[in-house]
Amino acid sequence: MTKTALITGITGQDGSYLAEFLIEKGYKVYGIVRRSSVLNRQRIEDLYYKKYNYNMDNIEIFYGDLGDSSSLNRILKKTEPNEVYNLAAQSHVGISFMIPEYTCDVTGLGVVRMLDGLKDLGFITRFYQASSSEMFGNALVEKQNEQTPFLPSSPYACAKVFAYHITRIYREAYNMFASNGILFNHESPRRGENFVTRKITFSLSRIKVGLQEKLYLGNLDSKRDWGYAKDFVKAMWLILQHDKPDDFVIATGETHTVREFVEKSAKLLDFDIEWQGEGLNEKGTDLNTGKTIIEINPRFYRPLDVEFLLGDSSKARKLLKWKPEVNFEKLIEIMVNADMKLAKLLKD
Ligand code: NAP
Ligand code: F7E
């Protein structure tokens, strides 16, 4: 029997990699996409249109929305999936301060819509919830694991804490196979351009070929545990293959500042960055040309930021035998190479 998986958020960074991973494993993948005025399927284009030539044996797309339980129930009923990966969310932390109610609805309540739909249908489905290291907020411990208390610092993180607990509650109350993957930041050439890593590799590449003059950033000193999205979607699958539902932290165990990410990306592109000034007046100048190519813009500061995250994924490493293959340096290289290729294409 072919295994089936339903992915909400299939058009996102993780959804697109997960769809590829599952199809390679022989799954039939169902995806939920939302209506937009232009088709928003670049990340699954190769998979859906080119590679499988609309071959519905491997992948099938349905219109739905995490804000609309009638569409979710209809899709669940129609597909009866063996596994559900709930990846859909308003996933931008900074933007969640601008659209808090919407973020809580989709990122938080959307999860209860999915879980309740599944519970009522009664078939045996394993459910994965995309929980986030943002739930730890400015945690008081040096390394965060499954025991670390949550201290959310944004509407996004608050919605994710709700989603985490409602997943646990459905597991305990209704005996559902519902698990949380508490994933630390993971990046790739498919990362949205307004997340900091991609913004850096995308903008510096464009500056290199003359398509852009400056890169404007916010807090350069915040630290993140950054991994590679392809490594992390494998962990999602492993979490649902485990013999019992449970919650797992997935992280690389290394933390770096935004500034380090800028410096390493710049070096790969042969910029020689010198930092001058402080706070809002800090600037990064390329010593090769004397041009200031990095500036701070208060617009990119958050009303409340998470300054430091570092994950301890010992549980996943032990029980799931998961470990990341790509380290910080390699991740930057992958992203810079991809964005430089793109910038050159745009230039020509
Ligand atoms: P992403 O690239 O922003 O993708 C989000 C997906 O959700 C997109 O497919 C988006 O559709 C879809 N979506 C948004 N609102 C929706 C709605 N109302 N109804 C249906 N679909 C909706 O995010 P990602 O980086 O792949 O992350 C995947 C999940 O993991 C998210 O839940 C995120 O919060 C969580 N997470 C991410 C990280 C990370 O570092 N990447 C870490 C921890 C947890 P459109 O394409 O139409 O916008
Ligand atoms: O910010 C700082 C910013 O937006 C990282 C999401 O996938 O991972 C992601 O959330 C840091 C923050 O990711 C800019 O203040 C400086 O301290 O790339 P980010 P995030 O907020 O960590 C978690 C795990 C998720 O779950 C989320 O869905 O970088 N920063 N300057 C900036 N950030 C952005 N976006 N833009 C800047 O110009």
Side-chain angles (χ1 to χ4, degrees):
M1 284 278 282
T2 306
K3 266 194 164 184
T4 57
L6 172 67
I7 304 176
T8 73
I10 194 169
T11 54
Q13 171 189 255
D14 292 3
S16 64
Y17 283 123
L18 181 66
E20 285 166 18
F21 176 85
L22 293 176
I23 289 173
E24 286 298 315
K25 287 226 164 280
Y27 280 69
K28 167 145 189 182
V29 168
Y30 301 110
I32 298 186
V33 298
R34 54 185 178 157
R35 194 266 160 182
S36 51
S37 66
V38 281
L39 274 191
N40 180 17
R41 301 186 191 170
Q42 301 89 322
R43 295 183 180 109
I44 53 166
E45 208 166 28
D46 277 354
L47 190 64
Y48 187 49
Y49 300 108
K50 294 191 192 141
K51 196 163 172 191
Y52 294 109
N53 197 21
Y54 299 97
N55 182 348
M56 299 296 187
D57 290 344
N58 296 307
I59 181 165
E60 210 171 322
I61 299 299
F62 297 90
Y63 277 106
D65 198 296
L66 264 269
D68 170 34
S69 37
S70 64
S71 63
L72 301 178
N73 290 338
R74 178 175 41 77
I75 296 165
L76 285 171
K77 204 166 158 191
K78 190 167 166 63
T79 57
E80 291 194 15
N82 300 117
E83 295 169 10
V84 170
Y85 295 86
N86 184 44
L87 309 185
Q90 191 303 91
S91 72
H92 198 286
V93 176
I95 294 172
S96 79
F97 286 97
M98 297 159 201
I99 46 170
E101 183 183 337
Y102 174 78
T103 303
C104 291
D105 186 24
V106 170
T107 306
L109 281 181
V111 185
V112 81
R113 291 186 184 108
M114 289 295 294
L115 284 164
D116 215 55
L118 271 174
K119 170 183 148 275
D120 286 350
L121 286 170
F123 39 77
I124 307 296
T125 298
R126 296 187 169 204
F127 181 85
Y128 173 89
Q129 167 56 20
S131 286
S132 164
S133 53
E134 280 295 303
M135 301 189 304
F136 297 122
N138 286 303
L140 300 171
V141 293
E142 201 185 312
K143 266 192 153 186
Q144 298 91 48
N145 65 18
E146 294 80 4
Q147 268 72 53
T148 307
F150 299 140
L151 192 61
S153 299
S154 62
Y156 168 80
C158 201
K160 284 286 184 188
V161 172
F162 169 83
Y164 168 91
H165 283 301
I166 203 75
T167 300
R168 179 186 55 76
I169 288 165
Y170 271 62
R171 172 169 80 218
E172 291 173 9
Y174 307 117
N175 207 17
M176 286 172 70
F177 195 113
S179 299
N180 284 288
I182 307 172
L183 272 51
F184 281 63
N185 297 53
H186 45 278
E187 319 293 314
S188 74
R190 294 189 198 169
R191 186 58 139 155
E193 290 98 341
N194 58 356
F195 294 92
V196 79
T197 55
R198 182 77 203 289
K199 185 171 167 185
I200 294 166
T201 59
F202 179 77
S203 303
L204 289 179
S205 302
R206 287 168 61 93
I207 293 170
K208 190 74 198 173
V209 301
L211 285 171
Q212 189 174 323
E213 282 190 8
K214 283 182 188 164
L215 161 63
Y216 294 95
L217 290 168
N219 183 1
L220 292 178
D221 296 313
S222 83
K223 288 183 126 179
R224 289 291 182 275
D225 180 331
W226 278 298
Y228 183 39
K230 271 193 174 183
D231 285 340
F232 280 51
V233 299
K234 185 175 177 200
M236 296 176 185
W237 176 74
L238 286 170
I239 288 172
L240 289 199
Q241 310 318 303
H242 192 49
D243 52 11
K244 61 183 179 63
D246 205 347
D247 305 323
F248 293 93
V249 160
I250 303 295
T252 71
E254 265 186 53
T255 190
H256 298 274
T257 58
V258 171
R259 187 188 301 280
E260 274 175 87
F261 199 103
V262 173
E263 287 167 355
K264 288 206 187 297
S265 307
K267 199 159 179 218
L268 286 176
L269 290 164
D270 292 326
F271 291 117
D272 186 5
I273 301 291
E274 184 182 72
W275 299 104
Q276 288 150 341
E278 271 177 41
L280 289 179
N281 296 319
E282 187 161 8
K283 291 182 188 348
T285 301
D286 175 23
L287 293 178
N288 295 325
T289 57
K291 284 187 184 164
T292 294
I293 58 169
I294 301 157
E295 284 191 17
I296 304 300
N297 187 325
R299 197 171 159 232
F300 300 113
Y301 277 97
R302 293 171 186 176
L304 190 59
D305 205 357
V306 175
E307 298 291 334
F308 176 89
L309 285 171
L310 173 60
D312 166 11
S313 57
S314 321
K315 180 177 169 185
R317 290 177 196 229
K318 187 166 172 230
L319 297 181
L320 306 177
K321 309 272 176 276
W322 176 85
K323 66 173 173 45
E325 305 291 334
V326 170
N327 67 12
F328 182 65
E329 277 75 22
K330 185 69 191 159
L331 170 68
I332 296 179
E333 198 185 310
I334 292 170
M335 292 180 71
V336 165
N337 287 344
D339 272 327
M340 198 53 201
K341 215 163 138 188
L342 198 64
K344 281 182 183 155
L345 274 176
L346 287 171
K347 174 80 176 164
D348 292 341

